[in-house]
Amino acid sequence: MDTIAPRRLRPYSVAMRPEILYPLFAPVTSLPGIGPRMARSIARLAGEKVVDLLWHLPANLIDRRPGPDIAAATANGRGNGDYVTLILDIREHRRGGGRRSPYRILARDGQGVPVTLVFFHARPAYLQQRFPEGAKLAVSGRLERFGEDWQITHPDRVAPAAKRDDIAIVEAVYPVTAGLHQAGLRKAIQAALSLVPPMPEWQDRAWLNKQGWMPFADSLRAVHTPRSPADLDPQTPARRRLAYDELLAEQLTLQIARRKWRHLPGRIVPSGGRLYQGLRKSLPYALTGDQQRALEEIAADMGSGQRMLRLLQGDVGCGKTVIAALAAAMTADAGAQVALMAPTEILARQHLQTLQTLFSGLPCRIALLTGKLPKGEREAIRRQMENGEVDIVIGTHALFQKDIAFADLGLLIVDEQHRFGVAQRLQLAAKSRGGGAHTLVMTATPIPRTLALTAYGDMDISRIREKPPGRTPVTTSTVPRDRIDEVIAAIGRKMAAGEQIYWVCPLIEEEEDTPPAEDAGEREMAAATARFEALRRHFAAEGTRIGLLHGRMKSEEKEEILTAFAAGKIGCLVATTVVEVGIDVANATVIVIEQAERFGLAQLHQLRGRVGRGHKPGHCILLYTPPLSETARARLKTMRETDDGFLIAERDLQIRGAGEVLGTRQSGMPEFRLADPAEDGDLIEAAHDDARLILERDGDLQSERGRALRLLLYLFEQDNAIRTLRSG
Ligand code: ADP
Ligand code: MG
């Protein structure tokens, strides 16, 4: 059969990569002893390239040092189950009798204590040769105690006693997957290490000295050859150095992108035009200090002649939307269009309502474009956008579609960016003339400063921390599940007083042992439906309407239920976490969250933000099922103690890893191989400042250190940054 060899494509970046790095970027199969099968296992674990092995750090170690006799090896409660290296006199071989009973070699340590070496499926000839009777051998393996007897089953290492130093006494233990064993992986990693070429130092020497850090290659070797458990600590100098290398590469990339963005001309959008003035005059309240500051920062950006790329960060209900509306008004005043992108249909519709209310009576044309629109309507709006007949378009992902074009997009507002990737943001910005629209990203996920530096390091940040005046904070209580009847009675009283309730049903995580047919969404729905039925029966006599909302409902159904809830026709809305984002019903005063221990802090905080939006005090009831894990207890305690989203985010970062805080996969938040934003917050800040200084002095990375830094960027696969340097 004829086969056509696939043409080997050389990605652009590979072509530019410095030659000394080629061996590290070769596939792992280029290493001795690694075939396609092992390469597949390694790919699952670490990656496909040699360099990926370098970043695969040991999680544990085997210390074979205890010995040389049983007394020493079992001192201080050690011994049973631990690795040891013993010097043994080999006394006698006892062949096993049949399949069940293993082959045994009887031996004694230096003090005459018996130790048995045990072999299953033994090959006697081989064992006779390796463990000759009468020999003195160094034997290493896992020591086990059976009654009075010590034994080692299948020792890992054997050497003549005189050559005991040949036995590597401390070995790294790596995370592995099925089909991959330690010895093979260890060898592969050692081979990868031997391919690290000599490279110039890219870090500042004074900084290295101050931190007591070794050169890159030495650090890498050190992390792969731990001598004691302390060497596995993320805070060892070697691990910190490598984490810093990774963070610096990332900060350089973000700031190169940011500089490039900044150098692009942006439309000069003055503030103070007619629409802007009209909107400000019609606001029934004064802006808070934080809102005012954010607005000034936005106005300064948009009037600067450079492109704005700004993150507007603040808790739910702190008043971001009105700031975005004012920015939109400025843009419309300048004769350009605004796109507001929301993560869901419901939120897009809610924004439409909010903006229509804000702009009512003002000359501003607002349209909605979502995937759910009937064809004809969509086409009409599409044409209006193209002809400049609308000023503000609110939409979902539908705004991305190829045939969508703006007459003149001046401002892109993205709501809840953590549901969009950075790439999508850029894609939409590219729809403006010359790709030069100002961009404002709103997020209600308060992010610790250090994380913001890595997730949004290419952006300027405005924070709204202050809440509009007159809000009473939501009281939060935790109640064990066996007191659910009291909670039901309490919400009954609230509903009788005309207030409304959210009842959030447990989040059900995907579990590996669940058959696919019964997936998480379905079980969430089942749980919510059961609670809905129970509450409906309970309140049937009072004639209170209970509603049900879950992710499996059609969006028209959801819409209908939400509209009824917003209109006060439903007293209690039983829902899965679909209520999490942005739904705004001022008359809802209580939120009950079932199995609150299953939710993350950020999510609990978001959910709690659903209540306390009106003038009546809000309550958040966290129902939990004991016993609580330590982290669940810490989360619920934090919820009781504070309402400050930024503080909660800091705690969240301490309680769990950084990736989880943002939801790494959805957020476009970089996944680090070596750094841990929860551990290395100080290094993120340092890398941020370092990168800024470096680029201020040597914006094209042309100096001696700059050229070394280019290697660093390639090493951490930030090739795009270098491409940006070249083309910009
Ligand atoms: P966010 O978008 O940050 O969640 P919103 O912009 O939706 O918050 O504001 C929440 C509520 O607070 C809205 O009803 C809004 O009218 C009101 N609001 C916003 N700013 C102020 C302010 N400075 N004073 C009083 N109320 C405000
Ligand atoms: Mg909002």
Side-chain angles (χ1 to χ4, degrees):
M1 195 178 74
D2 278 353
T3 53
I4 300 166
R7 218 181 83 217
R8 288 203 50 166
L9 293 177
R10 255 178 165 241
Y12 181 44
S13 56
V14 173
M16 302 197 318
R17 180 178 296 135
E19 224 166 294
I20 60 164
L21 294 181
Y22 283 4
L24 291 181
F25 284 85
V28 290
T29 46
S30 67
L31 297 173
I34 298 188
R37 260 181 70 185
M38 190 166 163
R40 274 197 297 279
S41 300
I42 291 177
R44 244 180 294 138
L45 198 63
E48 294 175 353
K49 302 176 294 319
V50 172
V51 73
D52 296 319
L53 283 169
L54 300 180
W55 315 143
H56 191 63
L57 301 190
N60 216 327
L61 54 78
I62 294 176
D63 188 345
R64 304 177 176 281
R65 278 174 300 190
D69 53 34
I70 290 288
T74 59
N76 306 323
R78 269 188 294 110
N80 191 11
D82 292 333
Y83 284 84
V84 298
T85 300
L86 301 176
I87 304 295
L88 297 177
D89 292 311
I90 304 300
R91 294 289 177 88
E92 188 189 335
H93 283 233
R94 286 211 186 139
R95 283 170 186 249
R99 283 199 178 179
R100 289 276 176 85
S101 106
Y103 191 104
R104 292 170 191 276
I105 298 174
L106 308 188
R108 284 179 188 255
D109 75 358
Q111 297 176 16
V113 179
V115 177
T116 307
L117 309 179
V118 179
F119 299 86
F120 295 90
H121 310 291
R123 285 186 297 147
Y126 170 74
L127 291 178
Q128 291 282 0
Q129 179 226 317
R130 274 207 98 182
F131 299 90
E133 283 171 17
K136 201 185 230 345
L137 300 177
V139 177
S140 185
R142 211 162 147 257
L143 186 66
E144 285 169 302
R145 180 167 203 150
F146 288 96
E148 290 301 294
D149 300 330
W150 292 102
Q151 68 180 45
I152 296 176
T153 305
H154 292 201
D156 309 313
R157 303 275 193 285
V158 183
K163 291 195 170 178
R164 59 174 296 192
D165 292 344
D166 287 0
I167 296 177
I169 50 176
V170 185
E171 282 172 351
V173 175
Y174 292 94
V176 287
T177 60
L180 197 60
H181 39 81
Q182 280 300 327
L185 182 60
R186 210 179 282 136
K187 240 168 95 181
I189 289 171
Q190 287 302 321
L193 281 172
S194 72
L195 294 178
V196 175
M199 287 180 280
E201 181 57 68
W202 44 73
Q203 298 294 1
D204 179 62
R205 287 191 200 275
W207 167 248
L208 287 181
N209 289 340
K210 185 164 162 244
Q211 297 291 325
W213 289 346
M214 296 177 286
F216 170 76
D218 295 350
S219 302
L220 205 49
R221 267 189 293 276
V223 299
H224 284 288
T225 42
R227 309 302 304 167
S228 74
D231 292 342
L232 300 168
D233 191 296
Q235 297 301 319
T236 58
R239 289 210 182 201
R240 294 262 293 173
R241 146 106 217 203
L242 296 177
Y244 191 74
D245 284 333
E246 183 174 37
L247 290 168
L248 182 61
E250 200 234 1
Q251 285 299 321
L252 279 170
T253 300
L254 285 167
Q255 290 188 38
I256 287 167
R258 176 197 183 107
R259 285 165 69 93
K260 178 167 170 128
W261 185 284
R262 285 235 175 130
H263 286 139
L264 290 173
R267 170 198 304 271
I268 296 186
V269 175
S271 62
R274 279 184 44 209
L275 196 53
Y276 176 85
Q277 293 294 358
L279 181 54
R280 282 219 69 160
K281 283 205 196 92
S282 71
L283 289 181
Y285 44 75
L287 297 180
T288 64
D290 280 355
Q291 282 175 315
Q292 186 60 40
R293 194 164 323 112
L295 183 63
E296 279 160 18
E297 285 164 347
I298 291 167
D301 284 353
M302 300 217 303
S304 72
Q306 289 175 354
R307 254 208 296 189
M308 172 171 76
L309 181 53
R310 183 169 287 279
L311 180 70
L312 182 58
Q313 205 189 2
D315 255 332
V316 274
C318 72
K320 298 181 293 297
T321 312
V322 65
I323 300 305
L326 285 163
M330 290 179 213
T331 309
D333 277 332
Q337 291 167 297
V338 180
L340 195 171
M341 192 159 65
T344 65
E345 177 101 13
I346 291 178
L347 273 177
R349 288 182 182 278
Q350 201 168 304
H351 276 310
L352 177 71
Q353 263 184 8
T354 309
L355 292 189
Q356 276 172 340
T357 309
L358 281 168
F359 284 103
S360 65
L362 296 169
C364 181
R365 298 158 301 179
I366 307 175
L368 181 74
L369 187 92
T370 69
K372 299 281 158 59
L373 237 47
K375 245 200 172 118
E377 217 172 303
R378 178 184 185 279
E379 180 53 26
I381 289 171
R382 194 193 67 76
R383 203 150 339 111
Q384 287 169 7
M385 289 165 64
E386 212 173 274
N387 298 336
E389 290 160 28
V390 287
D391 302 304
I392 302 177
V393 187
I394 299 160
T396 53
H397 287 74
L399 287 175
F400 286 129
Q401 272 142 23
K402 271 220 183 67
D403 64 330
I404 300 292
F406 292 85
D408 186 7
L409 181 63
L411 172 65
L412 166 62
I413 302 169
V414 184
D415 190 12
E416 295 290 348
Q417 124 112 17
H418 62 289
R419 311 227 162 184
F420 294 111
V422 176
Q424 285 170 309
R425 189 178 78 218
L426 293 174
Q427 203 180 331
L428 195 61
K431 285 195 183 290
S432 65
R433 222 182 249 168
H438 295 295
T439 299
L440 180 67
V441 177
M442 297 193 282
T443 177
T445 309
I447 300 163
R449 195 185 122 73
T450 53
L451 279 194
L453 288 180
T454 83
Y456 303 109
D458 58 338
M459 298 183 157
D460 296 303
I461 299 181
S462 297
R463 284 182 151 196
I464 304 181
R465 194 155 189 164
E466 215 174 328
K467 300 255 156 65
R471 300 272 171 89
T472 43
V474 178
T475 54
T476 300
S477 44
T478 46
V479 180
R481 198 192 152 82
D482 57 13
R483 287 172 48 200
I484 193 169
D485 290 346
E486 292 169 40
V487 172
I488 293 174
I491 66 168
R493 286 192 295 275
K494 286 285 178 191
M495 287 192 284
E499 297 176 28
Q500 289 171 280
I501 319 292
Y502 290 105
W503 186 296
V504 181
C505 281
L507 179 76
I508 294 170
E509 277 159 28
E510 306 273 358
E511 282 160 25
E512 279 182 22
D513 52 3
T514 322
E518 202 197 322
D519 68 13
E522 216 151 287
R523 286 183 298 140
E524 270 180 21
M525 181 187 76
T529 308
R531 176 60 60 210
F532 164 69
E533 294 295 350
L535 289 175
R536 195 160 65 165
R537 260 179 274 120
H538 186 96
F539 290 110
E542 279 119 279
T544 313
R545 204 176 142 197
I546 311 292
L548 173 64
L549 188 75
H550 59 72
R552 290 300 170 87
M553 283 161 57
K554 291 208 185 75
S555 63
E556 302 86 76
E557 276 180 277
K558 281 191 221 164
E559 208 71 36
E560 208 177 293
I561 295 284
L562 280 171
T563 312
F565 188 63
K569 291 181 190 147
I570 290 176
C572 173
L573 181 63
V574 179
T576 54
T577 49
V578 290
V579 296
E580 181 187 350
V581 186
I583 293 163
D584 201 349
V585 177
N587 193 45
T589 55
V590 181
I591 186 162
V592 180
I593 304 174
E594 254 189 88
Q595 295 197 25
E597 72 276 9
R598 292 194 178 197
F599 293 84
L601 254 184
Q603 205 173 15
L604 288 174
H605 180 64
Q606 290 268 346
L607 286 168
R608 181 169 59 183
R610 298 299 108 228
V611 296
R613 296 171 80 89
H615 293 291
K616 291 180 198 148
H619 303 277
C620 172
I621 299 169
L622 304 173
L623 274 173
Y624 66 92
T625 312
L628 288 177
S629 72
E630 204 175 304
T631 56
R633 189 186 308 276
R635 282 201 295 265
L636 298 187
K637 181 163 172 278
T638 302
M639 286 296 291
R640 273 200 315 268
E641 284 172 358
T642 179
D643 190 31
D644 179 339
F646 288 99
L647 193 63
I648 285 177
E650 299 283 353
R651 294 271 182 86
D652 203 13
L653 181 59
Q654 288 158 9
I655 296 172
R656 37 185 207 152
E660 290 173 84
V661 173
L662 287 166
T664 303
R665 279 197 179 78
Q666 310 159 9
S667 65
M669 167 88 188
E671 282 182 72
F672 293 104
R673 308 291 301 265
L674 303 168
D676 175 357
E679 290 262 359
D680 300 321
D682 58 328
L683 294 185
I684 294 176
E685 305 230 15
H688 179 79
D689 294 345
D690 203 0
R692 204 188 58 231
L693 283 177
I694 289 166
L695 293 171
E696 266 168 24
R697 284 189 215 132
D698 181 18
D700 292 320
L701 296 182
Q702 291 296 354
S703 68
E704 191 186 337
R705 183 178 178 205
R707 286 199 303 276
L709 283 163
R710 285 172 178 245
L711 280 177
L712 172 71
L713 291 172
Y714 280 118
L715 207 49
F716 285 99
E717 299 179 65
Q718 303 282 10
D719 304 23
N720 51 342
I722 297 177
R723 260 197 312 274
T724 306
L725 281 181
R726 292 190 185 214
S727 58

